[in-house]
Amino acid sequence: MSLETRVLVDGQWTTRTIDEHHIMAQNRTNPKTQAADSMPDSSKPPILGILTRTMVVSPVVRWIIPARIRHKTKNDVIFVRDRSIEIKELSTDAYLQDIALKADFDSPIRSARVLGATRKPAAPLEPRGIDAIIKQEESEPLGFFTPEIPPHILVLALESMVLVFLFAFYDSGGHFQFVTSQRSLPMQRSYLEQLGKHLAVDPRSRALAVSACSGSFVLYSLKSMDQMRKDVEHHDKLFVDRFMPVKEERHFTIEGIILKMEFLYPPDGDDHHVILLLIVSENQITRLVCYEWDCTTDLRQVKTRKGRGQPVMASDQLPILLIPFTLSTAFMLLSEKCLSVYKGILTGHADVESVILSHLETPEEPGNSKKPPRWVHWARPVRGEYYTSGTTKTYTSKNDSIYLCREDGVVRFLEIKEAPRVMVDSQMRAGRLGKNVDTAFACLDLGLKSSDLLVVGGDMSDGGLFSFAARSDAEQRQTLPNWTPLLDFATPIFTSKFQSMHEDDSFGRNPDGLRERVFACTGRGSRHGAITEIRHGFEATIVHPIDLSAFADGIVRLWSLPDLSGAGIYILLSHPVRSSLLFIPGDDQTDPEHIVDKDLAKDLDCDSRTIMAGSTPEGLIIQITEHSIRAALPLKHNRRFVQDIQGDRIVAACIQEKFSALLIVVRKDTDFHLHLGVFSTEDEQISFMKIGDSILLSSEPSSVSLYIIGEQVFAFIGTLAKTLQIFRAKIRSSLLLVFEHTLDGDVAICDSIAVLTKSKNRESLSQHIVICGLRNGSVQTFYFNCLEESNDPIVVDFEKIPLGNTSVTVITDKMRNSRAILICDQRFCTLEYCHKHFTKGFATITSIWMTIPERPAFQLAAPSAIAQPDLWNHTNAPELATTRFFCVEGTQLYVADFQIELETRVVPRRFPVIGMPVRVTYSRRLRLLIVGFIRTTIRQADQINGQVSLVDKRSLKPMITFINPDTEYLEPDPDAMVDDEMPPVEWIGIPGERILGLTEWMPSKKYHMLVVNTMLGRSPTPNVHGRILIFGLVKLGETRARMVLQKEIKQNAPVFTVAPYGESSLVWSCGNDLVFGTVETGQNPMKLHTRMTHLLKSPGIHISVKEPYIYVSTAKESLSVIRKDKDRLIPLFSDEIARDSLFHLTLPNHSLILTSDKGCTVAGLWQPPSPRLDSSTCTVFEAVLPGSITRLRHFARPPWYKSDVSGDDTQILGSGTDGSIYQFTVLSESSWRLLRFIQNMAMRHATICPVSYVNQQARHIEPSSEKCRYMHVDGDILDRVLERGGTELVQQMLRQELTTDDSLMDFKSVKTRVERFEEVAVAVVGEGKGDDLLVAVMRWMRGVLMPAL
């Protein structure tokens, strides 16, 4: 049945025919919507969204693959993570340098392989391989900026059923670009039948196989590398849309579970033979199934040998590794107990020989598991020789070599000889890595003359790069940090040493100068457990610390001066009443007793305090003291210049080194005069010439700075009258005051000035920003227009950025003049405007963290001065100019390598713990971290109950220790510790007991207690029980505290969580019971009374209290809200959905409870002001993340990220056990609508989502609040919008023409889309139109996305 009806469409009535199903669907009402509409306004749930952003990417590396995917001269190493890949380059000094990160797959990576040219060793005559295994012909240009297909292509199988082929190159402008091509895999209903579990590539890259866990696999016939180059390369250009390695595919079905899949090497002389081996298990029988074909034919000719395959030996039913040999079709299966070699599989039945691996090596940490460690991965080093015949080089190899790695870091070297029979030598012990290892294991190469390099990603421990030389122990060359598993973390607020903090500060407060930090429980085992401070920014590695304790009068400033001979560098130190000159050789082997250079010191005035020093491109060293101007040429000691200032005193000075210009301020009585001059070294004579007349300043200067821009000279003067003065002059003419500005704020005195420069493009003039470091701990920036004929204001006030509480030191970064380096309090950071133009609101401040590899807990406390070498003075020692800088802290001078051009990353700081840390909390009264950890020891067999036993026994003991986070904690020796003599440990529990929680408690606000809840026994055995231990805390010095047991409460079930209630009560979860108890703290011993219980449907695993409400996350029933009413516990609300909860966090400002569960979901539950009919909370939003969130904490942004456009400065951090940390922000309806509008457009754009954009065409651009999951905004996608175009990219997406596929999911025209966007944007950022509105939106969005760390 159907009928006609009138429908209003676009303001006009039209006739439509509809059926009864359509009518019934329209009349059907959602009960939740109906209930919400009938509620009063105060009972309606708010419309809120949630913004998530990955702040710390998981450090877990699944595979490490050596592959040259950029250029044949680039020794790339690819780290494949769960949802991203990272490219590193192996340098000639055996160091892995960060190159690029690609994290826009929007899907987990199931498997990865490389296709392309065979890896070959570098020629023996090539020194250190020149970073190359495939040697480049000398007649061939480098091609660094010549686009071409590299020797290798990375293949990724994604969980979204997409096969991705990827390589990278540098375009003509030197910009790094990824090129991807994708091919959809056949869809399957069952996850076990979804393709992508196994990936295999033919040794000669003629075929590719992709299989599922069971049931099927797909074969792809591949184009040759030469054919792909013909398709893509044309006249030094890459036509990336033609890039597709696949030329044919065929789908196969197979019965059973596919355990392993690899291509075998064909016999010698059989160049067209392709052999694919699958190890399949069916009905508890494991078989070898072999497919083969001629690559010159199509895939229809693929055939299998011997029907269903040959059964393997009984010991190989569940093989761990399948290793093909390179010199024949033989291969090796490695199981838990033996190694089997299979050969002759093409003859119909493979012969098998077993090889016994030596098990004499004991496990590195036997307490980690009851079972012996397994062999987890293998790697093949590059071997062979080069034979030269004329100009032709032939690669041959005599033997096959294999490195086997065990999960505890034990490495064995296997050598396989093929003639006359297959022989495997398994008795060669390569060494011990001292790391936990999983599948992230590979062998790198720097040429045949270099040692083998093994790299491991680390499994619940740090990874590393190791050098393996013959008959030598492994040498660790580099550490690759890993902070998994992350079981718990704390976010304490710390004060700088210049400010005090009150005990009653709430979590939401973070005044300027307070900094919040993240300390996490990481690592597993006595050698890898640690409390790790998660820090983000640039890393500066200290290569040489120098003790300056001989200079007892302190160091005020320092300058780096060149040594033109190239042997090193000079450092000029300024003390309060004198100066010192040091010489640092370039080999970093300085003896502190011989660093004073007496010859050059004669040319300088070391008896006076140095105000300013510098060097010119001609090698002239200039020194300004209070009473003299000196200059000298170090290589010509008879060439010097001295000008004394008689009677007067120089109070400030600046040297413009590139142009040898000098600006000084001389005090005459009470007047201050500004002088400008220039040095000349013509005819090897040093002369100084004054330029123009002196200028009388209106106030005493606090800082001076001199810049020459084009044909103009600019002098910037900060005064004690809180003014900024700018003087301008033409070359060789007098200075004139052109601008004066009064700085706002208390103590707004400018103590340092820097000017940043950024070019708009090649044709236009540069832009400039003036940065003033103020005495009140903030930075004031100004837009600076240096065009004399311009009618625009010469200076426009930009913004004020708070940093700390002491004076800010600002210098221009000599490696990039668009960036400044800042020092304030304990902060050492950079400031840069991320927009391609200097735009207000786009300032980015990034921390610089100095590290010493041998001291994992090192922290730079408060740097007082820094210096950078000049680029033009170190052509003989370029490493001193490009990466080095010098920093003074107290009596230490640090020489550091600063790779600031690379992207920011996590720079962890580790406090080693002898055990596995499981809980951490911070005591604000003690100012110490309280750490609960488990230490595993082994009781030998003859020590068990005084009787001899056949097996050893593990002993797991819970312990508690205290750590001062501002004190360096030395690496402990676990072997030197004994059970009854452990200085850092304050409490040792019962063997087998587990610490489930640490809670600081201050009953009656005068006692200081620590509550420890534990579990004894193993769940779900019936004898499992728990305890609550209440300790009194007494601080002992700066790093210790004493624990005195006050009360022990035994429970008949595990105590999963405890929370304080009121002044003297505790509430805890004991099995399915919620228990409320009051403790009398004034009595000795402490007494417990007023005990109430409430039965939960499942065990409570986390409790929080906001009186009178008690919030409980349960294992199976999500969240329950209970109110204490006198002597009763009354249930009020519960989640409307049963979730397997993990954690929750209350958000009082929004009346929300943020919950996480095992389904990788974070949900916002709204608590009504009064109970509803169904006694349930309302789910306001849901966010589905890549992993489950196990901890949620409040966190405050740094003071420089506090902005009106960024909303609430209190953020939420959530962590997963894989080491990832997410940032959560609750959004208002208007903010959510604008961000989701941009995200919906970005998800349909190939630049932002290059892999998943095709599948997003069915999504509407207009945001919808129909489902809770639609209220989630993915900040990672919005980050890409800002990074890959920002304003221009959003403009492009708004103006993109509609296609036929978009007609139902998009707006009807470009004009309608733009108008709707402007409507949504104005509701958030205010009035605006066109480009101005877009810039305002990008500025606001950037503020919202600012990272909390």
Side-chain angles (χ1 to χ4, degrees):
M1 183 185 74
S2 63
L3 56 88
E4 293 184 348
T5 183
R6 302 282 289 176
V7 181
L8 185 65
V9 178
D10 294 337
Q12 296 182 355
W13 291 99
T14 60
T15 301
R16 292 285 177 87
T17 301
I18 59 175
D19 57 14
E20 70 275 12
H21 301 287
H22 187 77
I23 299 173
M24 294 174 63
Q26 287 184 334
N27 292 332
R28 203 174 288 130
T29 304
N30 190 329
K32 296 182 180 180
T33 305
Q34 185 179 14
D37 292 339
S38 62
M39 291 179 184
D41 293 339
S42 60
S43 299
K44 289 184 179 180
I47 301 178
L48 299 173
I50 185 169
L51 169 70
T52 65
R53 183 181 184 274
T54 306
M55 193 171 64
V56 175
V57 178
S58 171
V60 176
V61 180
R62 302 185 63 185
W63 301 283
I64 300 177
I65 304 175
R68 299 172 178 270
I69 66 169
R70 291 184 298 156
H71 194 271
K72 58 186 175 182
T73 61
K74 297 300 177 184
N75 203 349
D76 295 332
V77 183
I78 304 170
F79 284 61
V80 181
R81 306 184 189 275
D82 182 57
R83 303 172 73 92
S84 64
I85 64 168
E86 183 179 3
I87 300 178
K88 297 178 182 287
E89 182 178 358
L90 181 63
S91 61
T92 54
D93 57 350
Y95 188 86
L96 289 171
Q97 297 178 343
D98 297 336
I99 299 298
L101 174 70
K102 184 174 178 61
D104 54 5
F105 299 107
D106 298 323
S107 173
I109 300 172
R110 298 194 68 186
S111 53
R113 285 296 178 95
V114 164
L115 58 89
T118 303
R119 293 179 65 203
K120 298 180 182 180
L125 297 178
E126 195 68 45
R128 294 186 65 88
I130 308 298
D131 250 358
I133 297 173
I134 305 173
K135 185 181 181 302
Q136 187 180 19
E137 298 293 340
E138 293 186 348
S139 59
E140 183 181 355
L142 176 61
F144 187 81
F145 296 119
T146 301
E148 60 181 33
I149 291 185
H152 296 136
I153 294 173
L154 181 66
V155 187
L156 303 173
L158 305 184
E159 201 166 287
S160 58
M161 304 303 296
V162 175
L163 202 62
V164 177
F165 301 90
L166 179 147
F167 70 91
F169 73 100
Y170 291 92
D171 60 18
S172 57
H175 302 104
F176 188 84
Q177 292 189 11
F178 284 101
V179 177
T180 61
S181 177
Q182 60 191 54
R183 192 178 186 93
S184 298
L185 294 171
M187 297 295 295
Q188 302 291 338
R189 293 184 178 181
S190 170
Y191 181 79
L192 294 178
E193 297 177 352
Q194 289 184 4
L195 296 169
K197 172 62 177 178
H198 302 288
L199 196 62
V201 176
D202 174 64
R204 298 175 185 174
S205 298
R206 300 166 297 182
L208 169 70
V210 185
S211 80
C213 295
S214 66
S216 65
F217 67 94
V218 176
L219 276 178
Y220 295 93
S221 177
L222 302 179
K223 302 176 183 177
S224 66
M225 296 298 292
D226 292 337
Q227 182 60 46
M228 280 189 283
R229 291 187 178 96
K230 291 180 182 179
D231 294 342
V232 177
E233 298 175 12
H234 185 68
H235 296 299
D236 293 335
K237 293 184 179 180
L238 288 181
F239 294 88
V240 295
D241 55 334
R242 304 177 184 173
F243 171 59
M244 173 47 68
V246 175
K247 63 179 181 180
E248 185 186 3
E249 72 176 83
R250 182 183 172 187
H251 190 272
F252 292 81
T253 58
I254 189 170
E255 296 294 332
I257 299 174
I258 302 175
L259 302 178
K260 299 291 178 181
M261 181 177 69
E262 286 287 352
F263 281 91
L264 302 181
Y265 285 77
D268 290 338
D270 196 354
D271 297 335
H272 303 301
H273 201 172
V274 183
I275 308 165
L276 176 65
L277 175 68
L278 287 86
I279 302 180
V280 182
S281 177
E282 183 185 7
N283 297 327
Q284 299 183 353
I285 298 177
T286 302
R287 302 177 182 273
L288 303 176
V289 182
C290 188
Y291 294 83
E292 58 179 328
W293 71 98
D294 190 326
C295 68
T296 60
T297 63
D298 56 35
L299 295 180
R300 289 178 296 178
Q301 307 303 320
V302 176
K303 59 183 179 180
T304 180
R305 277 187 171 270
K306 200 179 178 182
R308 302 187 65 181
Q310 173 186 340
V312 300
M313 295 178 57
S315 59
D316 297 330
Q317 289 293 320
L318 293 175
I320 300 174
L321 299 175
L322 166 60
I323 307 175
F325 293 167
T326 58
L327 302 181
S328 70
T329 58
F331 59 92
M332 182 166 55
L333 291 183
L334 182 64
S335 59
E336 289 189 8
K337 297 182 179 180
C338 69
L339 183 153
S340 302
V341 177
Y342 290 76
K343 52 187 177 180
I345 193 170
L346 296 183
T347 61
H349 190 281
D351 297 329
V352 186
E353 292 185 6
S354 295
V355 179
I356 303 300
L357 283 176
S358 174
H359 293 285
L360 298 179
E361 294 182 77
T362 59
E364 283 284 284
E365 294 186 81
N368 283 352
S369 175
K370 292 183 178 180
K371 297 182 179 180
R374 298 172 54 184
W375 300 97
V376 291
H377 208 53
W378 64 279
R380 177 175 283 120
V382 177
R383 292 287 187 266
E385 300 177 0
Y386 267 101
Y387 296 98
T388 304
S389 176
T391 59
T392 302
K393 295 182 178 181
T394 304
Y395 170 76
T396 62
S397 180
K398 298 179 179 179
N399 301 320
D400 197 0
S401 302
I402 298 293
Y403 278 106
L404 280 180
C405 187
R406 211 166 65 181
E407 61 183 344
D408 61 345
V410 172
V411 178
R412 279 200 167 272
F413 180 74
L414 306 184
E415 190 171 53
I416 299 98
K417 299 179 180 180
E418 293 281 350
R421 55 185 294 269
V422 177
M423 296 180 60
V424 179
D425 187 353
S426 64
Q427 306 305 316
M428 287 181 281
R429 174 182 176 272
R432 293 173 179 257
L433 303 179
K435 310 290 183 183
N436 298 333
V437 184
D438 198 0
T439 54
F441 176 75
C443 184
L444 312 182
D445 183 50
L446 282 175
L448 293 177
K449 296 297 183 180
S450 173
S451 303
D452 286 336
L453 294 174
L454 296 183
V455 58
V456 296
D459 178 33
M460 295 186 287
S461 73
D462 286 340
L465 178 65
F466 298 84
S467 174
F468 278 73
R471 293 173 294 277
S472 300
D473 294 333
E475 177 188 358
Q476 185 168 352
R477 306 296 297 269
Q478 185 180 356
T479 298
L480 303 176
N482 188 323
W483 49 92
T484 58
L486 200 160
L487 300 180
D488 191 15
F489 75 100
T491 58
I493 298 178
F494 289 83
T495 59
S496 68
K497 63 180 182 178
F498 307 99
Q499 183 186 32
S500 63
M501 179 177 63
H502 300 290
E503 292 290 341
D504 58 350
D505 287 338
S506 63
F507 71 84
R509 294 182 55 192
N510 190 15
D512 295 350
L514 294 185
R515 54 195 176 98
E516 240 175 317
R517 295 152 68 180
V518 176
F519 293 90
C521 297
T522 63
R524 182 173 184 266
S526 59
R527 299 179 185 273
H528 309 298
I531 295 298
T532 301
E533 181 179 4
I534 306 296
R535 308 177 300 184
H536 195 271
F538 295 118
E539 181 178 11
T541 304
I542 296 175
V543 296
H544 190 44
I546 301 174
D547 185 15
L548 301 180
S549 57
F551 304 107
D553 50 352
I555 300 170
V556 180
R557 293 189 64 180
L558 79 158
W559 297 267
S560 65
L561 306 174
D563 174 27
L564 297 183
S565 65
I569 196 167
Y570 293 99
I571 300 295
L572 180 61
L573 304 175
S574 177
H575 308 281
V577 295
R578 65 186 183 94
S579 301
S580 302
L581 188 66
L582 313 178
F583 179 73
I584 301 179
D587 57 2
D588 297 329
Q589 301 298 322
T590 303
D591 186 351
E593 298 179 359
H594 301 90
I595 57 179
V596 178
D597 186 277
K598 299 181 180 179
D599 295 332
L600 182 59
K602 296 178 181 178
D603 297 332
L604 304 178
D605 182 7
C606 292
D607 296 327
S608 303
R609 177 174 67 92
T610 300
I611 297 176
M612 178 58 64
S615 61
T616 68
E618 294 79 16
L620 182 68
I621 291 180
I622 305 170
Q623 180 196 23
I624 312 297
T625 67
E626 291 182 329
H627 300 289
S628 67
I629 301 174
R630 293 174 177 261
L633 291 170
L635 297 182
K636 301 176 181 179
H637 295 288
N638 59 338
R639 298 290 185 267
R640 62 173 64 98
F641 171 85
V642 178
Q643 179 178 332
D644 295 325
I645 307 296
Q646 300 295 334
D648 302 326
R649 184 167 62 93
I650 301 176
V651 295
C654 182
I655 300 172
Q656 219 298 326
E657 297 164 314
K658 187 175 182 180
F659 296 93
S660 304
L662 173 65
L663 181 71
I664 61 174
V665 178
V666 180
R667 177 171 185 169
K668 295 183 179 180
D669 297 329
T670 59
D671 296 333
F672 299 89
H673 296 267
L674 184 65
H675 299 267
L676 179 65
V678 63
F679 279 97
S680 175
T681 56
E682 294 181 0
D683 300 328
E684 297 185 351
Q685 297 295 325
I686 304 174
S687 61
F688 179 73
M689 179 181 66
K690 290 186 177 180
I691 298 177
D693 300 328
S694 63
I695 304 295
L696 179 63
L697 299 179
S698 59
S699 180
E700 181 178 354
S702 56
S703 59
V704 298
S705 188
L706 179 66
Y707 285 86
I708 299 178
I709 303 174
E711 298 295 325
Q712 301 180 83
V713 178
F714 291 92
F716 301 87
I717 312 295
T719 71
L720 295 181
K722 301 199 305 184
T723 62
L724 172 66
Q725 298 177 346
I726 301 180
F727 295 83
R728 179 171 60 183
K730 291 287 188 179
I731 299 297
R732 309 294 182 181
S733 62
S734 299
L735 292 169
L736 296 175
L737 179 64
V738 294
F739 180 81
E740 184 171 6
H741 176 78
T742 301
L743 301 171
D744 297 330
D746 297 333
V747 201
I749 298 173
C750 181
D751 283 339
S752 58
I753 304 172
V755 177
L756 307 185
T757 303
K758 182 180 288 189
S759 297
K760 293 182 180 180
N761 51 54
R762 296 180 179 178
E763 291 77 20
S764 63
L765 298 175
S766 299
Q767 292 182 317
H768 306 277
I769 287 288
V770 180
I771 301 180
C772 298
L774 304 186
R775 194 168 296 181
N776 59 13
S778 61
V779 169
Q780 185 78 39
T781 62
F782 301 89
Y783 177 79
F784 177 50
N785 189 337
C786 62
L787 298 178
E788 183 181 17
E789 62 277 6
S790 175
N791 295 325
D792 297 334
I794 191 170
V795 175
V796 178
D797 190 356
F798 242 34
E799 52 195 328
K800 187 175 182 179
I801 305 172
L803 283 180
N805 300 282
T806 62
S807 180
V808 181
T809 300
V810 182
I811 66 171
T812 303
D813 184 6
K814 294 182 179 180
M815 289 186 286
R816 183 187 295 178
N817 58 9
S818 62
R819 177 171 51 211
I821 298 178
L822 314 177
I823 296 178
C824 179
D825 288 353
Q826 296 172 296
R827 296 183 175 89
F828 185 22
C829 51
T830 65
L831 185 150
E832 185 175 15
Y833 279 83
C834 62
H835 199 267
K836 71 176 184 179
H837 308 316
F838 285 131
T839 305
K840 183 177 180 180
F842 284 83
T844 299
I845 293 181
T846 306
S847 297
I848 301 173
W849 303 107
M850 299 186 70
T851 61
I852 301 178
E854 300 79 16
R855 297 161 59 183
F858 172 80
Q859 176 178 246
L860 188 69
S864 58
I866 59 172
Q868 284 182 292
D870 295 310
L871 298 179
W872 55 76
N873 282 324
H874 300 282
T875 55
N876 294 328
E879 70 281 355
L880 294 177
T882 57
T883 63
R884 292 288 168 90
F885 77 97
F886 308 91
C887 177
V888 171
E889 179 206 9
T891 60
Q892 292 291 318
L893 172 64
Y894 296 116
V895 184
D897 275 336
F898 194 17
Q899 298 181 3
I900 199 169
E901 296 294 333
L902 303 179
E903 293 184 356
T904 59
R905 59 188 179 89
V906 174
V907 185
R909 176 176 173 239
R910 299 179 68 252
F911 298 90
V913 177
I914 310 175
M916 180 178 179
V918 292
R919 293 295 182 267
V920 62
T921 187
Y922 179 72
S923 171
R924 299 180 70 176
R925 178 171 290 185
L926 298 177
R927 295 183 182 268
L928 296 174
L929 292 169
I930 307 174
V931 181
F933 65 96
I934 297 175
R935 185 185 178 199
T936 304
T937 57
I938 298 296
R939 294 184 295 167
Q940 301 298 326
D942 57 354
Q943 297 177 354
I944 301 174
N945 298 326
Q947 299 179 0
V948 177
S949 177
L950 297 179
V951 294
D952 298 339
K953 293 291 186 180
R954 294 192 308 160
S955 176
L956 282 71
K957 290 186 177 181
M959 301 180 181
I960 294 178
T961 187
F962 296 86
I963 295 176
N964 187 338
D966 291 325
T967 301
E968 186 171 359
Y969 188 68
L970 300 179
E971 184 88 36
D973 183 6
D975 298 329
M977 293 291 188
V978 295
D979 289 343
D980 57 352
E981 190 178 10
M982 297 178 63
V985 176
E986 301 297 341
W987 175 78
I988 302 176
I990 301 174
E993 190 173 21
R994 292 180 55 193
I995 298 176
L996 300 182
L998 300 174
T999 305
E1000 191 179 20
W1001 184 35
M1002 285 174 280
S1004 303
K1005 297 184 179 179
K1006 61 180 180 179
Y1007 301 100
H1008 192 198
M1009 303 287 185
L1010 176 67
V1011 182
V1012 181
N1013 53 291
T1014 69
M1015 178 178 73
L1016 289 95
R1018 186 172 299 173
S1019 180
T1021 57
N1023 59 347
V1024 63
H1025 58 285
R1027 296 194 298 169
I1028 297 177
L1029 305 172
I1030 303 177
F1031 295 92
L1033 297 179
V1034 179
K1035 189 171 183 179
L1036 302 174
E1038 294 296 325
T1039 60
R1040 298 290 300 278
R1042 185 173 72 246
M1043 299 173 58
V1044 180
L1045 182 61
Q1046 301 288 339
K1047 182 68 175 177
E1048 177 185 6
I1049 306 174
K1050 295 184 178 180
Q1051 300 288 285
N1052 57 6
V1055 182
F1056 291 105
T1057 177
V1058 176
Y1061 187 101
E1063 292 189 353
S1064 59
S1065 299
L1066 294 174
V1067 57
W1068 64 88
S1069 170
C1070 176
N1072 284 15
D1073 290 331
L1074 179 68
V1075 184
F1076 184 96
T1078 301
V1079 179
E1080 290 187 5
T1081 55
Q1083 307 236 348
N1084 191 10
M1086 188 179 294
K1087 293 184 178 181
L1088 174 67
H1089 63 90
T1090 315
R1091 190 164 178 168
M1092 297 178 289
T1093 61
H1094 173 73
L1095 183 62
L1096 302 171
K1097 294 182 179 180
S1098 59
I1101 58 176
H1102 177 63
I1103 296 175
S1104 65
V1105 172
K1106 183 175 177 56
E1107 299 180 35
Y1109 300 108
I1110 301 172
Y1111 301 90
V1112 185
S1113 288
T1114 60
K1116 298 294 183 182
E1117 303 297 330
S1118 190
L1119 182 78
S1120 295
V1121 183
I1122 299 169
R1123 186 181 67 195
K1124 180 185 177 295
D1125 187 6
K1126 296 182 181 180
D1127 297 333
R1128 294 188 304 163
L1129 296 176
I1130 304 174
L1132 291 182
F1133 305 99
S1134 61
D1135 193 352
E1136 57 187 353
I1137 301 174
R1139 312 173 199 263
D1140 297 338
S1141 292
L1142 290 172
F1143 208 80
H1144 73 261
L1145 187 69
T1146 58
L1147 307 177
N1149 294 339
H1150 302 284
S1151 298
L1152 289 180
I1153 306 101
L1154 200 64
T1155 67
S1156 65
D1157 58 40
K1158 296 179 182 179
C1160 306
T1161 299
V1162 173
L1165 307 181
W1166 179 68
Q1167 178 181 337
S1170 59
R1172 308 193 330 179
L1173 295 178
D1174 56 358
S1175 299
S1176 67
T1177 59
C1178 182
T1179 304
V1180 177
F1181 53 72
E1182 286 183 342
V1184 180
L1185 301 175
S1188 296
I1189 300 299
T1190 57
R1191 290 292 184 272
L1192 292 165
R1193 300 279 189 257
H1194 291 284
F1195 196 84
R1197 292 186 179 188
W1200 52 82
Y1201 282 157
K1202 292 188 175 183
S1203 172
D1204 294 337
V1205 301
S1206 60
D1208 191 0
D1209 291 318
T1210 300
Q1211 302 293 297
I1212 303 160
L1213 299 187
S1215 69
T1217 55
D1218 64 349
S1220 58
I1221 298 179
Y1222 297 89
Q1223 180 175 331
F1224 301 92
T1225 306
V1226 178
L1227 303 172
S1228 64
E1229 180 184 4
S1230 58
S1231 299
W1232 161 78
R1233 196 170 298 278
L1234 174 57
L1235 294 177
R1236 186 70 201 201
F1237 195 104
I1238 298 174
Q1239 176 185 330
N1240 289 346
M1241 290 193 299
M1243 293 170 68
R1244 304 156 66 96
H1245 200 279
T1247 302
I1248 308 302
C1249 301
V1251 176
S1252 61
Y1253 77 97
V1254 177
N1255 300 325
Q1256 301 298 334
Q1257 297 298 320
R1259 299 291 296 273
H1260 288 276
I1261 291 180
E1262 176 66 34
S1264 170
S1265 58
E1266 179 183 356
K1267 296 182 180 180
C1268 295
R1269 296 190 177 186
Y1270 293 168
M1271 307 304 293
H1272 173 213
V1273 176
D1274 191 339
D1276 295 336
I1277 294 179
L1278 298 181
D1279 264 340
R1280 297 178 214 162
V1281 175
L1282 291 175
E1283 293 173 359
R1284 302 178 184 181
T1287 305
E1288 292 80 3
L1289 185 57
V1290 175
Q1291 179 81 335
Q1292 177 188 345
M1293 291 188 294
L1294 287 171
R1295 301 289 179 180
Q1296 185 174 2
E1297 294 295 334
L1298 275 69
T1299 63
T1300 304
D1301 297 336
D1302 292 338
S1303 59
L1304 298 178
M1305 303 300 169
D1306 203 347
F1307 295 92
K1308 292 192 174 182
S1309 65
V1310 172
K1311 180 181 178 182
T1312 308
R1313 187 196 304 144
V1314 173
E1315 289 176 349
R1316 177 55 178 160
F1317 173 80
E1318 292 179 348
E1319 179 185 350
V1320 173
V1322 168
V1324 176
V1325 300
E1327 295 298 327
K1329 201 75 174 178
D1331 293 343
D1332 293 339
L1333 181 62
L1334 274 179
V1335 172
V1337 169
M1338 291 299 101
R1339 184 188 300 117
W1340 173 83
M1341 187 170 76
R1342 182 179 175 275
V1344 173
L1345 295 174
M1346 278 293 184
L1349 279 181

